[in-house]
């Protein structure tokens, strides 16, 4: 085999190996980017599902706590109603034991005042119960809302990253042919230079 053929074969093999390596590297980059996009999508779905689950738990816990407050308020209201009746009964008993009429004069006025006080106490218990129950439900609703917003924001960000990774994979895959063609042109240029140099050597006059 002539020197030119040997060098030409080496150039062709070198160019072929370089193109093969570039093709493999390009394929690996595309695979990695697509795998990354899949991971982003899976993570986005998991984040959103978790946020929805947490929001549901917040609402459930809030509703349970509010019902417990209402139940306790109903107990307190019943206890206050019984206590109020006992206070009025005690006033009537004291007035009766003193020989005074329980339905006129001072005993009657004291009973009316006590009835107003009892009514006020019961109204306050009912108001506080309603207020605390409503506040508990509202806090749970706000926490659930914030959790859903956080999950939606994370979902959007991760899906954008997935789209960028897909876009990158497409760009890398699209650039493969151009990159390989550029390497092929480089190999052809090397072969042309080699051919020119050997021609120059052949054209060099030899001494007799």
């Amino acid at each position: 085999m002539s020197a030119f053929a040997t060098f030409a074969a080496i150039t062709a093999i070198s160019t072929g190996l370089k193109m093969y390596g570039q093709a493999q590297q390009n394929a690996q980059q595309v695979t990695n980017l697509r795998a990354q996009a899949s991971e982003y999508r899976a993570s986005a779905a998991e984040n959103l599902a978790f946020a929805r689950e947490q929001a549901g738990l917040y609402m459930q816990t809030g509703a349970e706590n509010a019902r417990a407050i209402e139940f306790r308020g109903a107990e307190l209201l019943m206890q206050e109603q019984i206590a109020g009746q006992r206070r009025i009964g005690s006033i009537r008993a004291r007035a009766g034991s003193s020989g005074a009429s329980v339905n006129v004069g001072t005993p009657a006025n004291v009973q009316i005042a006590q009835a107003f006080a009892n009514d006020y106490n019961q109204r306050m218990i009912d108001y506080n119960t309603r207020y605390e129950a409503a506040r508990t439900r509202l806090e749970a609703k706000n926490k659930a809302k914030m959790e859903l917003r956080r999950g939606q924001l994370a979902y959007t960000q991760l899906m954008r990253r997935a789209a960028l990774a897909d876009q990158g994979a497409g760009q890398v895959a699209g650039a493969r042919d151009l990159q390989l063609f550029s390497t092929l042109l480089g190999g052809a240029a090397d072969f042309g230079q080699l051919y020119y140099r050997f021609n120059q050597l052949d054209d060099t006059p030899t001494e007799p």
Side-chain angles (χ1 to χ4, degrees):
M1 181 181 289
S2 66
F4 173 74
T6 300
F7 282 110
I10 292 173
T11 302
I13 293 171
S14 175
T15 301
L17 289 174
K18 188 181 293 184
M19 291 176 66
Y20 175 78
Q22 288 173 342
Q24 290 294 105
Q25 184 179 8
N26 182 280
Q28 187 61 49
Q29 288 176 344
V30 170
T31 299
N32 291 342
L33 285 169
R34 286 177 178 165
Q36 192 175 50
S38 296
E39 288 177 3
Y40 282 142
R41 287 193 185 89
S43 183
E46 288 175 3
N47 268 277
L48 189 58
F50 178 76
R52 287 172 176 169
E53 183 181 354
Q54 283 295 108
L57 287 175
Y58 286 143
M59 292 297 292
Q60 180 182 351
T61 303
E64 291 173 355
N65 290 340
R67 284 195 295 269
I69 290 171
E70 289 167 346
F71 181 77
R72 178 58 181 162
E75 284 185 333
L76 291 175
L77 183 59
M78 183 180 296
Q79 291 172 5
E80 176 56 31
Q81 288 172 345
I82 294 172
Q85 291 172 358
R86 286 176 179 170
R87 285 191 288 268
I88 291 176
S90 178
I91 293 170
R92 294 173 65 88
R94 284 198 301 271
S97 65
S98 65
S101 176
V102 296
N103 295 320
V104 295
T106 300
N109 292 334
V110 173
Q111 289 180 69
I112 292 171
Q114 184 61 57
F116 276 117
N118 292 344
D119 183 67
Y120 174 79
N121 291 339
Q122 293 167 21
R123 287 176 182 273
M124 288 304 298
I125 290 173
D126 182 64
Y127 170 79
N128 288 333
T129 298
R130 292 176 184 273
Y131 173 79
E132 287 299 324
R135 184 181 64 81
T136 300
R137 287 191 174 95
L138 181 60
E139 284 182 354
K141 184 178 179 180
N142 289 337
K143 287 176 73 175
K145 243 187 222 183
M146 291 299 296
E147 184 62 26
L148 285 175
R149 286 179 184 173
R150 183 203 64 76
Q152 188 62 53
L153 180 62
Y155 176 84
T156 301
Q157 290 176 341
L158 288 168
M159 289 303 289
R160 284 176 182 169
R161 292 180 184 177
L164 288 174
D166 279 333
Q167 183 180 355
Q171 290 174 348
V172 171
R176 185 194 63 172
D177 292 342
L178 181 60
Q179 186 181 24
L180 294 178
F181 184 67
S182 176
T183 302
L184 182 61
L185 287 180
D190 291 340
F191 180 81
Q193 289 179 357
L194 179 67
Y195 182 78
Y196 174 78
R197 288 175 183 173
F198 270 92
N199 277 344
Q200 288 292 102
L201 290 175
D202 289 340
D203 291 340
T204 303
T206 58
E207 294 184 4

